[in-house]
Amino acid sequence: MTDPEKTATLSYDGKSFDLPVYSPTAGPDVIDIRKLYADAGVFTYDPGFTSTASCDSTITYIDGGAGVLLHRGYPIDQLASKSHYLEVCYLLLYGELPTAAQLEDFETRVTRHTMIHEQMHNFFRGFRRDAHPMATMVGVVGAMSAFYHDSTDINDPWQREVASIRLIAKMPTIAAMAYKYSIGQPFNYPRNDLDYAANFLHMCFAVPAEKYEVNPILSRAMDRIFILHADHEQNASTSTVRLASSSGANPFACIAAGIACLWGPAHGGANQACLEMLKEIGSVDRIPEFIARAKDKDDPFRLMGFGHRVYKNFDPRAKVMKQSADEVLDLLGIEDNPLLQVAKELERIALQDEYFADKKLFPNVDFYSGIILEAMGFPTSMFTPIFALSRTVGWISQWKEMIGDPQMKIGRPRQLYLGETQRDYIDVENR
Ligand code: ACO
């Protein structure tokens, strides 16, 4: 990995320091600054980690300029069109596409873990009915540490494996239960005769009073949404999972931390915010007003579903998602969907606008996903939980990679301190 031909030299305070350079298999070279503080007594400064590689990884590669997203080397559009979610899970977790026998074994293992401990049902009942399903998920996933003691020892590879399978298997059950609880309907137990996506739709939409048949077209679209969100390199929630687990915390607590981070509107919460924005815009003639607001420096409003820290050309997931939105609406016979009209026109106008072109702002994965999910019958509050359940495999794969790395250290960033220097305490009567 170290490239002996290349070194970086930093000059500071009259001295120069040679820093090793690593050449990745793809992407920009990386300068190793780990010894900088010991050798030069200085820190580097990079709030928001815009130029900092926090780890090495072999899972996902993004070329933001070219709009490339690869999982273990395979392009996302090929995976979305040819593979299915559990196969992608296997690929992310173990590094290679499975053989037919490996896939069957993996699917059986996941399927056998879909139920949650019966006593966990009481946890759901402790929440207010109007709790956001993300709030419920953060709590219930964290509570898994209290139920699955036989898979919390991170030093035991077998326990790590069991925790991984449990999280992938139970997350749809937990998300669906959070939804059912919020609308006052009875929970549905998982059905192991259905595939992963179809079972999730069943748990969300079946009611005891009626027979529910999963529409295979919708379950395929659901599966594709899961694939498109499965992993995304060292984003905010994944880095949160890594940082939380660097202290040795158990996997359920770490994934709960990831869910909490994902919830924010600048990250996974953008899909809910985007659909709410499209509804607020309401009709094509109001688009210029919202574009003007997005460009106004004094207005905090941003076009939700637009922009990305890494993609500066296009988000390859958004391309597949847009195509999926067209297909799903078409198959459901939803013609002239006003939200889709607004979304398409908003995208067209924004892409022609100098402000968005200059800042390289393009629709991201969240721009179209909400339209599909709403057409399927999900309320906006379920959009981010669906993202969380899809991303669980990415968090788990990155967690496993990190725990298995002998170089693992607790994450401990430093700071540029700008506060008061030492001063003496003053008694309250003298202040
Ligand atoms: N609408 C209007 N202006 C925007 C937008 C937007 N959606 N996104 C960025 N900008 C502008 C900023 O105001 C800033 O302008 P300035 O340089 O004049 O100050 C510039 O573009 C750069 O923006 P930053 O916030 O510095 O870029 P950063 O890489 O930190 O943020 C982010 C990326 C958070 C995704 C941002 O584009 C955003 O808030 N988008 C809307 C929310 C969203 O869709 N998030 C989902 C991301 S994808 C995901 O998590 C799955």
Side-chain angles (χ1 to χ4, degrees):
M1 173 170 82
T2 316
D3 191 336
E5 303 283 300
K6 294 180 188 166
T7 45
T9 306
L10 177 94
S11 299
Y12 167 70
D13 208 15
K15 290 192 202 123
S16 73
F17 302 89
D18 285 339
L19 303 166
V21 173
Y22 305 137
S23 290
T25 47
D29 284 347
V30 171
I31 300 170
D32 182 347
I33 54 152
R34 279 178 293 179
K35 294 218 173 94
L36 191 63
Y37 178 55
D39 293 349
V42 287
F43 298 143
T44 55
Y45 182 60
D46 185 18
F49 305 117
T50 51
S51 298
T52 296
S54 60
C55 60
D56 48 75
S57 181
T58 61
I59 301 172
T60 291
Y61 172 71
I62 302 173
D63 179 337
V68 167
L69 168 60
L70 310 176
H71 291 321
R72 303 285 191 184
Y74 296 101
I76 189 65
D77 53 327
Q78 289 185 24
L79 294 173
S81 61
K82 297 183 179 177
S83 185
H84 60 90
Y85 183 67
L86 280 187
E87 186 177 65
V88 173
C89 288
Y90 186 100
L91 176 69
L92 288 167
L93 274 174
Y94 305 114
E96 295 296 337
L97 287 170
T99 62
Q102 286 168 332
L103 184 60
E104 195 187 332
D105 170 64
F106 180 67
E107 288 183 340
T108 306
R109 282 190 289 139
V110 171
T111 305
R112 294 273 157 80
H113 279 284
T114 49
M115 286 201 298
I116 60 166
H117 193 292
E118 194 66 13
Q119 206 174 324
M120 287 184 82
H121 290 215
N122 299 332
F123 263 83
F124 286 89
R125 299 202 166 92
F127 287 95
R128 278 172 55 139
R129 286 275 176 200
D130 59 357
H132 194 288
M134 281 298 276
T136 312
M137 280 183 84
V138 173
V140 173
V141 173
M144 285 175 80
S145 351
F147 285 91
Y148 300 106
H149 298 139
D150 59 345
S151 50
T152 51
D153 179 358
I154 61 159
N155 298 314
D156 177 346
W158 171 246
Q159 294 205 25
R160 296 206 294 263
E161 177 68 16
V162 175
S164 307
I165 298 289
R166 278 194 170 129
L167 278 157
I168 293 166
K170 295 185 199 307
M171 205 59 91
T173 314
I174 292 170
M177 287 175 75
Y179 170 54
K180 285 296 200 189
Y181 184 75
S182 74
I183 55 170
Q185 288 187 3
F187 299 137
N188 285 318
Y189 285 100
R191 266 184 52 191
N192 289 353
D193 59 318
L194 297 174
D195 67 36
Y196 193 87
N199 173 49
F200 178 62
L201 292 176
H202 150 77
M203 288 189 292
C204 288
F205 295 124
V207 285
E210 280 174 25
K211 192 167 161 45
Y212 176 76
E213 293 282 352
V214 183
N215 181 331
I217 292 148
L218 293 189
S219 66
R220 176 68 193 131
M222 188 79 259
D223 192 79
R224 199 179 280 177
I225 287 179
F226 292 163
I227 294 175
L228 292 175
H229 290 91
D231 189 47
H232 213 229
E233 207 227 60
Q234 309 310 323
N235 56 80
S237 56
T238 302
S239 298
T240 300
V241 171
R242 280 189 180 255
L243 194 57
S245 51
S246 76
S247 72
N250 77 69
F252 306 112
C254 296
I255 299 303
I259 297 173
C261 177
L262 186 79
W263 194 359
H267 193 10
N271 50 15
Q272 172 170 353
C274 179
L275 200 90
E276 282 162 359
M277 176 194 76
L278 293 176
K279 283 183 177 166
E280 196 189 341
I281 297 175
S283 60
V284 167
D285 55 301
R286 291 193 66 204
I287 291 174
E289 180 195 324
F290 282 82
I291 297 263
R293 282 187 62 195
K295 288 158 62 172
D296 181 354
K297 279 237 161 284
D298 299 324
D299 188 331
F301 174 79
R302 285 185 168 200
L303 277 193
M304 299 315 287
F306 260 78
H308 198 275
R309 169 61 63 80
V310 182
Y311 294 121
K312 299 297 173 197
N313 186 345
F314 66 94
D315 179 341
R317 302 166 302 171
K319 266 191 164 176
V320 184
M321 203 63 95
K322 184 178 183 180
Q323 194 190 340
S324 249
D326 279 332
E327 280 169 19
V328 168
L329 296 181
D330 193 36
L331 290 161
L332 290 175
I334 303 174
E335 282 162 21
D336 300 329
N337 177 290
L339 292 179
L340 189 64
Q341 306 301 331
V342 172
K344 284 189 170 166
E345 189 58 10
L346 182 62
E347 179 184 356
R348 194 187 66 75
I349 295 175
L351 292 183
Q352 286 175 354
D353 194 290
E354 222 173 277
Y355 172 94
F356 290 88
D358 285 355
K359 295 191 187 302
K360 300 191 188 317
L361 300 170
F362 296 86
N364 59 49
V365 67
D366 293 324
F367 193 66
Y368 284 105
S369 61
I371 293 172
I372 308 178
L373 292 172
E374 188 175 76
M376 284 176 165
F378 287 105
T380 50
S381 61
M382 274 305 285
F383 295 0
T384 317
I386 288 170
F387 191 159
L389 90 81
S390 320
R391 181 56 57 85
T392 296
V393 67
W395 292 329
I396 282 291
S397 305
Q398 304 266 351
W399 166 78
K400 269 183 80 180
E401 181 177 70
M402 191 183 98
I403 302 285
D405 180 353
Q407 293 194 75
M408 186 190 102
K409 268 173 156 342
I410 187 167
R412 177 57 170 92
R414 303 305 298 263
Q415 63 175 4
L416 166 65
Y417 178 67
L418 297 174
E420 298 287 348
T421 52
Q422 184 170 328
R423 50 184 171 166
D424 287 328
Y425 180 82
I426 303 164
D427 293 332
V428 69
E429 59 273 16
N430 298 325
R431 281 175 221 157

